[in-house]
Amino acid sequence: MYKAILAGLTILLGSTVASASADPVEELKGSVTEAVEVLYGEGSEAKSVELKRDEVRAAFEKNYNMDIIIRRAIGSNWRRLTEEEQTRVLELIKAVVLKAYIDGMEGRARPEIRYEAAVQLGEHRLEIPSVVVMEDRTVSLKYKLARMQSGWELYDLVAEEISLVANYRQQFDEHFRRGTAAKLIEKLEGLLNHEKLDHKVTL
Amino acid sequence: MKNTKIEYLVGCFVLAGLAAILYLAIQVGGARLLGGDVYQLQAQFSSAAGVNPGSRVEIAGVRVGTVKSVNLDEAYYALVTLELPRSVKLDSDTIASVKTSGLIGDRFIELSPGGSDLFLEDGEMIYDTESALDIEDLISRFALGGIDSNKE
């Protein structure tokens, strides 16, 4: 149940990885703390859900290109979309993830995040394992970073050994086996219109 | 004259038999007589248990290649070398997963092609990998409680 919340949460928490950082690990930690502050910091109780969503999104898009992780999740199905559909799908998925994350974390206690030693995989890849302690359970979470032209970017999150990208790619593959891009957009719009999204965000 | 003809036929039969055995050995071993138009990719797994040289490499359930070798790298990850035909072009965000045929079947590598439009070249690495589901680990987590059980 918490994996999907965490998936959404960690996209956003991990999303503010600064692109030109000399130390991507410290940057990640700083960014995660900053994102958590939006939800649990001083004065956060007075903020509306919409405002929190906007602030998290603003913090996120300031430092991180969320398109990377979404495109990776869509995989080869990306080529089935027209340019207009690509833009629309990216925008809708971002909005759905933000909504699921904020709705899912609303009313919960502040999670504690413990980091383990980062593992360098070649010159341009880095894995940062962590443990997220929530009020009723603890989940292992691995941030996968790659050095791209824009700097260090988050390209996948692995919660309890389940890759976010692989998990959602399976769902997109399944959708496109029978469905169309228009149907996908319709589904995503439907999710956005739900009063409240939880962790079970599936296509 | 008659004996020579018989000997010639026997010789041909023996040669045909040897050729058949050689072909069978090559097919079973997953090797090739000639280099062929293939290229190799590497994939790094936290566990490649059950994957061996000769194991299948599939895309959407269709066999497209073979596992060439399985080694341990310096970071103690399993380094699996895949051999694929050049006609199978894979994007850099391809995901390689260790799968099992049925519940207790053979392990093989399933590839999920990406959409980055940056294609992997000969010798390059697939970093996005998923190890096989460890049934024993799942059972022990269920029975003994795992990292999820934070309840006092």
Side-chain angles (χ1 to χ4, degrees):
Chain A
M1 147 168 191
Y2 289 90
K3 283 173 190 165
I5 292 176
L6 275 167
L9 170 133
T10 47
I11 282 180
L12 298 165
L13 296 185
S15 65
T16 46
V17 177
S19 58
S21 166
D23 186 346
V25 179
E26 287 308 313
E27 283 292 341
L28 177 72
K29 289 178 183 176
S31 300
V32 169
T33 306
E34 191 183 321
V36 171
E37 277 300 310
V38 171
L39 294 177
Y40 299 99
E42 205 174 320
S44 61
E45 301 88 359
K47 292 177 186 171
S48 68
V49 173
E50 288 75 20
L51 181 61
K52 285 179 186 173
R53 208 179 289 169
D54 289 345
E55 285 187 1
V56 170
R57 179 166 185 162
F60 166 63
E61 291 186 333
K62 184 172 65 183
N63 297 312
Y64 180 68
N65 187 0
M66 198 176 172
D67 292 2
I68 292 170
I69 207 163
I70 296 173
R71 272 201 60 175
R72 290 173 59 79
I74 296 172
S76 56
N77 300 301
W78 183 254
R79 299 189 186 105
R80 296 170 186 245
L81 308 176
T82 64
E83 226 168 279
E84 274 180 21
E85 287 168 342
Q86 288 174 349
T87 310
R88 183 73 183 137
V89 164
L90 280 177
E91 190 55 38
L92 283 169
I93 293 176
K94 279 181 208 173
V96 167
V97 168
L98 272 162
K99 183 173 167 58
Y101 165 59
I102 304 290
D103 289 355
M105 296 307 291
E106 193 67 11
R108 291 180 180 277
R110 182 182 183 125
E112 182 195 342
I113 301 162
R114 299 180 197 140
Y115 297 93
E116 293 166 14
V119 180
Q120 188 84 39
L121 298 173
E123 202 181 335
H124 302 293
R125 306 265 177 166
L126 192 66
E127 284 185 6
I128 305 173
S130 71
V131 175
V132 180
V133 183
M134 302 180 82
E135 51 196 333
D136 56 351
R137 64 174 53 200
T138 305
V139 177
S140 71
L141 186 68
K142 200 186 288 172
Y143 298 86
K144 289 190 166 191
L145 305 175
R147 195 203 297 268
M148 300 182 185
Q149 281 186 334
S150 55
W152 286 98
E153 298 275 9
L154 186 71
Y155 72 93
D156 196 6
L157 289 153
V158 182
E160 293 286 304
E161 297 301 318
I162 295 172
S163 155
L164 175 79
V165 167
N167 187 25
Y168 278 94
R169 189 180 288 182
Q170 276 177 8
Q171 292 190 42
F172 283 118
D173 285 346
E174 192 59 38
H175 170 85
F176 279 103
R177 224 163 265 151
R178 294 185 298 262
T180 60
K183 192 77 185 164
L184 175 67
I185 289 169
E186 195 182 304
K187 278 184 182 178
L188 291 169
E189 285 173 342
L191 285 171
L192 270 182
N193 290 332
H194 279 202
E195 193 181 328
K196 189 166 181 170
L197 282 183
D198 64 5
H199 51 281
K200 290 179 180 172
V201 182
T202 52
L203 296 174
Chain B
M1 182 67 186
K2 194 178 177 182
N3 281 346
T4 309
K5 195 176 177 183
I6 290 170
E7 282 166 7
Y8 176 75
L9 283 171
V10 169
C12 286
F13 184 75
V14 169
L15 281 175
L18 286 173
I21 290 168
L22 183 65
Y23 176 77
L24 190 67
I26 288 167
Q27 288 299 311
V28 169
R32 289 167 193 280
L33 263 181
L34 302 169
D37 202 10
V38 296
Y39 71 112
Q40 292 185 357
L41 295 175
Q42 292 188 314
Q44 199 176 36
F45 293 90
S46 54
S47 169
V51 177
N52 298 303
S55 294
R56 306 189 313 277
V57 179
E58 296 186 357
I59 296 176
V62 178
R63 182 173 186 156
V64 292
T66 308
V67 171
K68 192 75 180 166
S69 64
V70 182
N71 297 301
L72 199 63
D73 71 7
E74 64 275 11
Y76 299 109
Y77 280 89
L79 196 61
V80 177
T81 304
L82 315 175
E83 194 172 68
L84 299 156
R86 288 202 182 273
S87 56
V88 176
K89 290 183 178 177
L90 295 169
D91 299 83
S92 59
D93 54 345
T94 294
I95 299 171
S97 312
V98 176
K99 300 280 186 184
T100 309
S101 306
L103 273 179
I104 51 168
D106 290 341
R107 292 272 167 92
F108 63 96
I109 306 287
E110 172 82 21
L111 298 176
S112 169
S116 69
D117 290 333
L118 298 168
F119 294 105
L120 291 164
E121 300 288 341
D122 190 19
E124 286 197 318
M125 176 81 81
I126 299 173
Y127 283 98
D128 299 331
T129 58
E130 291 181 301
S131 298
L133 195 66
D134 191 336
I135 301 289
E136 288 172 6
D137 181 52
L138 284 178
I139 292 170
S140 64
R141 281 193 195 201
F142 179 74
L144 306 172
I147 197 166
D148 278 354
S149 59
N150 197 33
K151 292 174 185 168
E152 295 298 326

